[in-house]
Amino acid sequence: MTAFPGEPVSTPAVRLDTAQGRWIVLTTVLGSSMALLDSTVVNVALPRIGRDLGADLAVLQWTVNAYLLTLAGLILVGGALGDRFGRRRIFVLGVVWFAVGSLLCGIAPNAGVLVAARALQGIGGALLTPGSLALIQGSIHPDDRARAVGLWSGLGGVGAAVGPFLGGWLVDGPGWRWVFLLNVPVAALCVPVALRHVPESRDPQAHGRFDVAGAVLGAAALALLTYALIEARSGTALVTGAAVGGVLLGAAFVYVERHRADPMMPPDVFASRQFTAVNLVTLCVYAAFGGFFFLVVLQLQVVAGYSALGAGAALLPTTALMLLLSARSGELGERIGPRVPLTVGPLLCAAGMLLMLRVGPGAPYVRDVLPALVVMGMGMVALVAPLTATVLSSVDAGRAGLASGINNAAARAAGLLAVAALPLLSGMGPDAYLSADRFDAAFGRAMLWCAGALVVGAALAWATVRSPAPGGCHPECRTHCAMAAPPLEPPREAER
């Protein structure tokens, strides 16, 4: 690929313990945390949004899924655009887009406008999310990347975990609209820091036409399948047609990607069995996480009788655990390999979800809620950082944006389909969240589904994920060491 005028094509690596290294991590955490935090913050606000806007459960599902749909459907586009046109450039564009979508959510007069604005937010998230991790991979020195990814995962996880507490405080205080408006000042801080301190990087091998057909087919397939799952109870011909159309468009997406000269999702990236295996594990565990975080705050408010703030604060143990242990978990995964963490982590999370079955009407926090969340948090600590590091180390460093995009797409698509399918699988009717008894029974069935998905993920990890060979390379690594490949592009002279 031809560099932009005045821009070289290889970047000196930045050490994590330098001022610039810390700024890079801070910027990427701020940007990605907006997207992660927004997902969890909104969940806490759902009951109040439903009452204020007169919405049923399907509208609440769409409030979550409109965001996840565009995020999952376009996140590969975001990764590919970053690799081609500059990761910092696309990251900054995504942050600005996300802030605009958040502003529109905050002033939405009705449910329809809110859902549409959430879809716009998802587009911004699709641009900034893969770029945040790819900026670390393309800028930080190879010896520091595992620790940087651990910090990114841990601090980003903290943002996601703080979300329910912050959302509860906002919902009970100034109102649910501030859940969205809060993103605007965060973006105002993130953009200038990124422009000043983060070096530009891109994939010098990215070339050819952009895969518009693949992007449209992938997003349309997810949209139709999501609609079919959410509206399945109606049993209309439209729902059946959407389900069939989603499957056919998914098959067409695979066909196009296999036969196109420059596909958005190159099939050869899956020649790495390690990469394929970790993405299968991702599908299982993030389906469970998506369903859990959508339903648990509703369970705490509708059934256990917690306030929005109380429900959000209830999830704080996972925040503390992620903050204290994620960086060490990333380093441990680098030493012992990913197989054990990716097996033990999902099993701990499954145990935590099964413990949530004890949470019923008036459930005491210390006796019933806290043990479940501590076990869940330990599972997330064991899982998240090693999974992220393994995804990136399974491919060439020059394809970091692509790898990050595919893995994020798998995670978001899994959460999207889980939020759409779990109410159907658990027998949760349109007005279930208005009745404590009905919601409690359906929540118990949903937790069994989520725990089952995690057990499947753990079994897949044990059977398919392999630890690195001595010296740090995975057995199938086709370069000298993808983890130690030099970053891609230096900052312009004015930025040094």
Side-chain angles (χ1 to χ4, degrees), residues 93-109:
L93 174 62
V95 170
V96 173
W97 193 307
F98 193 91
V100 172
S102 299
L103 179 62
L104 293 175
C105 288
I107 62 175

Side-chain angles (χ1 to χ4, degrees), residues 220-234:
L222 281 174
L224 289 176
L225 290 173
T226 301
Y227 173 82
L229 288 169
I230 291 177
E231 304 295 337
R233 286 187 185 85
S234 66

